[in-house]
């Protein structure tokens, strides 16, 4: 139904701007007959010129207009789709079709564009891509329930420009190491690497945007593209339509995935579900240029044109950190332990998407699972008690209240309880702990558990059990045949020696 505002615009175009009926119909989306009726009768207030029959949507048009207006004021990511509005109307009693609601919403939005004077501003040229030619990448922000907590996540979107096969992976942050990790998982899922990657001017890739197509690309991002052998191409600033496929994929994913996503126990479980959901949608969604085939069918044809995926890019971001006197390295308000021999020295911290690696003297000295705090006011400390053994050997008294030793295995704690009741027990316990420097920790634990079961808690007994565990087993008895026996026994004949003896006669 035409509104007062739209009729005013039409009259102004025709009577003041001398615009033709054909041009008005093209801009407004109304038929030429409808426009002629309103202009011929000099109508200022629009009237319904139908045959008087009520549409099933008519009782709900006012409500639907209110919803559309409210949704237009919400953020792009929080807006409800037309299909969701249709389902809400059904709950109110609407029994008509979805197509009628979609047509009404399209017409309402067109009218709003006319009133705002924005119609006809955006004209674009459709793009086509050869198989294996390019993929498009973008980030988005979405919400998911992980561990009974609703948290905001950064979603990496990949889409093959030819087959439209897409891949999503969730991360807590939009950082270099997350970006590198996302590329590896995406290429594995998509089955190969195209020749080009199309990006916007994100900070994790572009350090500086120059004139035209000039870009100062981040050194680590360059290293990644060199590793995977594809060319990175960056859009013009504020020109998202240059990678419109993945931009649309961001919107589609909210309706196809996130609005129906169940709760998850961990981020890893969410990413596994996203991979399965993406591949399931490939089988269900028709290819936009060939409606007779699904995305999965076109993707299968594109596979031979993609380069095989090499080994994973070592996608870390490196920092130089000074180790504190308590053998800790600070990163993102959290602290991680390193061996005591590196206290008060500088080490190299390599940050990956899910773990941290400390390197010094061209060797890895420590590894920790990365902790990402949602609450910026809190911090955590990640200890490995083995890192403090060299200090403990000089200061055995620190064993009683040392923070790194609160997480000892239960067998160690039981042994400590028994040893600390006797004189010199703290030093003996330190010597038992130091056995892990020379033997596998699992073997030491097994020896301690056996010693506790026998009721003999001492270092000597534990060491005896440990050596029996690692000593090689005795060889099996050889299966020798019965000893040889002689059929004819030899005779002792000393006369034979006389024949050998040289006889000498006296002179």
């Amino acid at each position: 139904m035409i509104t007062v505002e739209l009729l005013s615009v039409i009259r102004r175009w025709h009577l003041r701007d001398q615009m033709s009926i054909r041009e008005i119909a093209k801009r407004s989306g109304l038929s030429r007959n409808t426009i002629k009726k309103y202009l011929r009768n000099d109508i200022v207030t629009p009237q319904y010129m139908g045959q008087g029959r009520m549409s099933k949507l008519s009782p709900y048009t006012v409500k639907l207009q209110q919803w559309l207006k409210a949704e237009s004021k919400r953020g792009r990511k929080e807006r409800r789709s037309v299909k969701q509005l249709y389902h809400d109307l059904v709950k109110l009693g609407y029994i008509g079709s979805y197509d009628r609601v979609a047509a009404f919403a399209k017409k309402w939005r067109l009218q709003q564009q006319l009133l705002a004077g924005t119609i006809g501003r955006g004209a674009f040229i459709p793009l086509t891509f050869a198989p294996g030619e390019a993929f498009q990448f973008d980030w988005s922000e979405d919400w998911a329930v992980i561990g009974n907590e609703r948290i905001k996540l950064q979603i990496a979107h990949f889409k093959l420009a030819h087959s439209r096969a897409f891949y999503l992976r969730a991360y807590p942050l939009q950082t270099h190491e997350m970006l590198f990790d996302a590329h590896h998982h995406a290429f594995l899922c998509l089955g190969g690497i195209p020749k080009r990657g199309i990006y916007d001017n994100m900070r994790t890739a572009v350090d500086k945007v120059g004139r035209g197509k000039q870009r100062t690309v981040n050194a680590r991002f360059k290293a990644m593209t060199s590793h995977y052998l594809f060319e990175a191409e960056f859009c013009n600033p504020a020109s998202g339509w240059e990678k419109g496929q993945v931009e649309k994929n961001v919107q589609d994913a909210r309706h196809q995935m996130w609005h129906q996503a169940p709760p998850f126990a961990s981020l890893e479980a969410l990413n596994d579900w996203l991979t399965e959901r993406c591949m399931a949608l490939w089988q269900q969604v028709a290819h936009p240029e060939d409606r007779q085939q699904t995305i999965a069918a076109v993707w299968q044809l594109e596979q031979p044109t993609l380069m095989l995926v090499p080994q994973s890019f070592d996608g870390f971001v490196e920092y130089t950190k000074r180790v504190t006197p308590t053998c800790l390295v600070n990163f993102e308000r959290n602290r991680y332990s390193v061996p005591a021999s590196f206290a008060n020295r500088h080490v190299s911290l390599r940050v990956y998407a899910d773990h941290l690696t400390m390197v010094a003297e061209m060797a890895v000295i420590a590894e920790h699972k990365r902790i990402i705090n949602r609450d910026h006011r809190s911090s955590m400390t990640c200890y490995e008690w083995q890192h403090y053994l060299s200090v403990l050997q000089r200061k055995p008294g620190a064993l009683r209240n040392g923070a790194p030793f609160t997480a000892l295995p239960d067998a160690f704690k039981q042994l400590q309880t028994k040893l600390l009741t006797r004189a010199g027990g703290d030093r003996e316990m330190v010597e038992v702990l130091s056995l892990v420097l020379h033997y596998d920790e699992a073997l030491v634990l097994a020896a301690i558990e056996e010693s506790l079961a026998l009721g003999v808690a001492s270092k000597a007994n534990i060491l005896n059990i440990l050596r029996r565990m690692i000593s090689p087993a005795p060889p099996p008895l050889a299966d020798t045949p019965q000893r040889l026996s002689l059929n004819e026994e030899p005779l002792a004949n000393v006369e034979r020696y006389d024949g050998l003896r040289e006889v000498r006669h006296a002179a």
Side-chain angles (χ1 to χ4, degrees):
M1 182 181 293
I2 192 169
T3 62
V4 177
E5 293 85 354
L6 180 57
L7 180 56
S8 175
V9 172
I10 292 173
R11 287 171 52 80
R12 191 162 57 248
W13 280 346
H14 183 70
L15 300 176
R16 172 175 289 185
D17 300 337
Q18 302 298 314
M19 191 178 294
S20 67
I21 301 295
R22 181 187 296 272
E23 181 65 22
I24 295 174
K26 183 178 179 180
R27 292 196 179 193
S28 65
L30 300 174
S31 70
R32 283 180 282 179
N33 289 335
T34 300
I35 297 172
K36 289 177 182 178
K37 288 179 181 180
Y38 280 108
L39 294 176
R40 185 187 307 122
N41 298 327
D42 200 22
I43 297 174
V44 178
T45 302
Q47 301 173 0
Y48 181 59
M49 298 183 179
Q51 299 177 355
R53 64 184 182 88
M54 291 284 291
S55 167
K56 294 178 181 178
L57 185 60
S58 297
Y60 305 95
T61 54
V62 175
K63 189 67 175 178
L64 184 55
Q65 285 180 349
Q66 293 174 352
W67 286 352
L68 290 170
K69 186 175 181 180
E71 293 300 319
S72 66
K73 295 180 179 179
R74 299 180 66 181
R76 177 175 57 87
K77 300 176 183 178
E78 290 78 25
R79 292 176 192 166
R80 289 181 293 174
S81 66
V82 176
K83 184 163 289 188
Q84 290 174 310
L85 296 178
Y86 162 73
H87 289 306
D88 292 341
L89 286 177
V90 171
K91 294 178 182 178
L92 296 179
Y94 173 64
I95 59 174
S97 67
Y98 164 74
D99 292 338
R100 173 66 88 180
V101 177
F104 183 93
K106 181 179 180 180
K107 189 173 182 179
W108 182 87
R109 288 169 180 162
L110 185 61
Q111 292 174 358
Q112 299 305 308
Q113 291 175 344
L114 281 170
L115 297 175
T118 60
I119 193 165
R121 289 186 180 179
F124 309 101
I125 298 175
L127 304 178
T128 182
F129 295 87
E133 179 182 354
F135 71 90
Q136 299 180 5
F137 173 85
D138 199 10
W139 286 105
S140 73
E141 290 184 352
D142 287 287
W143 295 79
V145 177
I146 298 180
N148 298 322
E149 181 184 359
R150 187 171 182 266
I151 60 176
K152 183 168 67 173
L153 297 170
Q154 310 299 320
I155 314 301
H157 293 255
F158 292 81
K159 194 163 189 175
L160 295 180
H162 175 74
S163 66
R164 306 300 205 276
F166 54 89
Y167 175 79
L168 277 69
R169 191 167 183 85
Y171 293 93
L173 302 171
Q174 283 189 27
T175 54
H176 287 90
E177 60 275 11
M178 310 292 179
L179 178 68
F180 302 150
D181 184 75
H183 276 74
H184 178 67
H185 286 93
F187 293 149
L188 289 178
C189 181
L190 297 174
I193 307 173
K195 298 177 182 177
R196 292 189 295 135
I198 302 174
Y199 303 84
D200 57 18
N201 299 284
M202 53 189 181
R203 293 184 179 180
T204 48
V206 178
D207 291 337
K208 183 180 179 181
V209 178
R211 298 181 61 183
K213 288 293 185 179
Q214 294 180 358
R215 302 289 187 273
T216 302
V217 182
N218 180 269
R220 289 295 291 164
F221 187 84
K222 277 185 179 179
M224 183 198 67
T225 59
S226 176
H227 176 83
Y228 290 120
L229 300 176
F230 70 89
E231 179 185 357
E233 182 178 305
F234 300 97
C235 301
N236 291 312
S239 301
W241 58 83
E242 296 182 8
K243 54 179 180 64
Q245 293 182 10
V246 74
E247 293 279 353
K248 183 178 183 301
N249 196 76
V250 171
Q251 300 176 15
D252 293 342
R254 292 198 174 98
H255 307 311
Q256 297 172 342
M257 297 185 183
W258 297 109
H259 291 171
Q260 295 85 24
F264 299 95
S266 64
L267 185 61
E268 291 76 13
L270 167 60
N271 283 323
D272 291 341
W273 179 84
L274 285 173
T275 301
E276 295 173 1
R277 181 64 178 153
C278 286
M279 300 186 76
L281 287 173
W282 297 355
Q283 304 286 343
Q284 301 171 14
V285 180
H287 194 275
E289 295 179 0
D290 186 357
R291 307 298 296 180
Q292 302 300 319
Q293 296 193 80
T294 62
I295 289 177
V298 182
W299 173 70
Q300 289 288 349
L301 299 175
E302 189 178 17
Q303 285 295 290
T305 65
L306 300 176
M307 189 190 79
L308 294 178
V309 183
Q311 66 179 5
S312 174
F313 174 64
D314 195 11
F316 62 84
V317 178
E318 193 165 20
Y319 302 93
T320 300
K321 295 286 184 176
R322 186 178 185 275
V323 182
T324 67
T326 53
C327 311
L328 297 173
V329 171
N330 293 301
F331 180 69
E332 292 180 340
R333 298 175 302 278
N334 299 310
R335 294 172 293 277
Y336 304 86
S337 67
V338 298
S341 58
F342 295 94
N344 302 305
R345 295 171 57 183
H346 286 85
V347 299
S348 176
L349 174 64
R350 295 180 178 178
V351 181
Y352 293 84
D354 56 355
H355 69 281
L356 305 177
T357 299
M358 289 73 168
V359 178
E361 299 175 355
M362 301 181 67
V364 175
I365 60 174
E367 285 189 349
H368 292 276
K369 183 177 180 181
R370 184 176 179 179
I371 302 171
I372 298 178
N373 294 331
R374 292 290 176 180
D375 184 4
H376 298 297
R377 294 172 295 180
S378 62
S379 62
M380 297 180 63
T381 303
C382 187
Y383 293 110
E384 284 193 17
W385 57 270
Q386 298 90 336
H387 292 162
Y388 294 86
L389 287 177
S390 61
V391 180
L392 194 62
Q393 289 171 344
R394 294 184 285 106
K395 302 177 181 180
L399 180 62
R400 293 179 181 269
N401 301 106
F405 306 104
T406 57
L408 285 173
D410 291 338
F412 281 115
K413 291 183 178 179
Q414 295 176 23
L415 179 65
Q416 181 181 2
T417 302
K418 292 182 177 294
L419 292 182
L420 292 186
T421 58
R422 65 180 72 159
D426 51 357
R427 185 168 292 279
E428 186 176 3
M429 182 62 197
V430 171
E431 293 174 353
V432 173
L433 290 176
S434 300
L435 291 176
V436 301
L437 299 175
H438 308 284
Y439 303 98
D440 184 77
E441 184 177 341
L443 288 177
V444 177
L445 277 172
I448 292 174
E449 290 171 353
E450 184 176 343
S451 176
L452 292 172
L454 295 173
V456 184
S458 66
K459 174 196 171 185
N461 185 52
I462 293 171
L463 194 56
N464 183 32
I465 296 172
L466 186 60
R467 286 174 177 171
R468 282 193 285 107
M469 286 181 173
I470 64 176
S471 61
L477 296 175
D479 186 13
T480 58
Q482 188 179 4
R483 64 180 183 175
L484 301 176
S485 60
L486 296 176
N487 294 327
E488 184 178 348
E489 294 290 337
L491 299 176
N493 186 3
V494 295
E495 294 180 355
R496 297 190 322 181
Y497 291 96
D498 291 338
L500 299 173
R501 186 177 56 182
E502 180 180 358
V503 179
R504 296 171 180 258
H505 300 279

